[in-house]
Amino acid sequence: MRLVKQFLAVAAVAFIGGQGVAAVQGNPWLTLILGLVTAVLAVVVYGWVVRRTEHRAPTEVARAGAVARLGRGALIGAAMFAAVIANIAFLDGYHVHGLGSVTGAVGLVGFMAAAAVTEELLFRGVLFRVIEERIGTWISLLLTGVVFGLMHLFNPDATLWGATAIAIEAGFMLAACYAATRNLWVPIGLHFGWNLAAGAIFSVVVSGNGESKGLLDATTSGQALVTGGDFGPEGSLYAVAAGAAMTVVFMWLAHRRGHIVPRRRRTAGEPAATATVSR
């Protein structure tokens, strides 16, 4: 099955790269280098395995226009998270005490790059894209978004609400972003920009993974539904609302551009074996 082959190939890079990044976590410059290497290698392996299993060029990670699309996505993600923090601060839930750590932010750039690239390749490039061919855009968005949220239950300060919030604001939104653009660079950039703003700039907890040491020395306090509590601002109602709103926007764009894939229906004479996702 091509889904399994593609998933395992990228997952292997993510695992090995993740172990390497964890091993040098105390050194921000090595973390930056290994994180960026992991990100680049993951894209190369994804392209290679797609060519081998689907016998086509992986246009969703084409080099042409990649930088512009990455930048566009990163700006959207960073702006979204800045808006979330601004709303939390307005209710006195986010407090800046001074400048934080430049070297800490440097290390987080590498860590966030590896995470954004590998997760988007796995969940949008492989799972969402391949499953969508059989069950359509809407159901694939729902299923893969839920799986993406559940994956975050393994984080140290994870909660069921936090996983639900991630499913809505990230799992659904990023799949919708891919559906609207039909390339992986924009969702990768969006994912990276969101995480970078959270950890490397505003220094808040990212997806229940503990405190981040970024450019600002900051803390959150107040009601969990406003600040996200121990899970971080991604568990805030503001983040959920922002992600849900962008999901609607992206799906509207996908519909307008004719990118919505209908559910594939088997004809009466078609054998059941053709309903697999292998090629």
Side-chain angles (χ1 to χ4, degrees):
M1 293 175 65
R2 62 190 170 107
L3 186 152
V4 175
K5 292 177 181 178
Q6 292 174 14
F7 191 90
L8 290 178
V10 178
V13 176
F15 176 77
I16 295 171
Q19 293 299 305
V21 169
V24 299
Q25 199 167 17
N27 188 317
W29 298 105
L30 283 178
T31 301
L32 172 65
I33 294 170
L34 284 178
L36 293 177
V37 169
T38 299
V40 172
L41 186 58
V43 173
V44 171
V45 170
Y46 174 85
W48 171 80
V49 75
V50 166
R51 287 188 182 93
R52 289 291 300 272
T53 57
E54 298 185 16
H55 309 292
R56 67 174 180 86
T59 55
E60 61 272 26
V61 288
R63 293 180 184 178
V67 173
R69 288 166 177 160
L70 278 171
R72 190 182 314 137
L75 285 174
I76 294 171
M80 285 180 64
F81 197 85
V84 170
I85 288 294
N87 279 281
I88 294 174
F90 180 75
L91 294 181
D92 200 34
Y94 178 77
H95 311 275
V96 177
H97 308 293
L99 294 178
S101 170
V102 174
T103 55
V106 167
L108 284 170
V109 170
F111 180 84
M112 298 305 183
V117 171
T118 56
E119 289 180 10
E120 289 313 299
L121 292 175
L122 286 170
F123 284 91
R124 263 58 69 176
V126 178
L127 290 181
F128 174 79
R129 181 180 60 82
V130 176
I131 294 174
E132 181 191 35
E133 296 175 9
R134 293 292 176 175
I135 62 176
T137 301
W138 289 102
I139 301 178
S140 181
L141 182 146
L142 177 63
L143 290 179
T144 59
V146 169
V147 172
F148 189 70
L150 291 176
M151 182 189 73
H152 289 76
L153 281 174
F154 296 98
N155 294 349
D157 293 317
T159 63
L160 183 58
W161 163 248
T164 302
I166 289 292
I168 296 170
E169 73 202 28
F172 297 164
M173 178 185 67
L174 291 167
C177 181
Y178 173 76
T181 61
R182 290 300 161 182
N183 76 80
L184 288 167
W185 296 121
V186 178
I188 285 173
L190 201 164
H191 193 154
F192 175 71
W194 174 280
N195 283 356
L196 187 70
I201 298 176
F202 295 108
S203 305
V204 295
V205 177
V206 181
S207 305
N209 278 310
E211 296 291 340
S212 300
K213 294 182 179 180
L215 296 178
L216 297 175
D217 177 15
T219 57
T220 58
S221 62
Q223 295 182 351
L225 287 179
V226 173
T227 66
D230 292 338
F231 191 76
E234 287 167 310
S236 166
L237 287 177
Y238 286 121
V240 174
M246 287 304 297
T247 299
V248 172
V249 171
F250 284 132
M251 290 306 291
W252 174 78
L253 284 172
H255 176 74
R256 183 178 181 182
R257 294 169 179 174
H259 291 175
I260 301 296
V261 177
R263 182 178 179 181
R264 181 175 174 179
R265 299 185 182 278
R266 201 182 348 148
T267 60
E270 184 181 2
T274 60
T276 65
V277 294
S278 61
R279 179 180 289 180

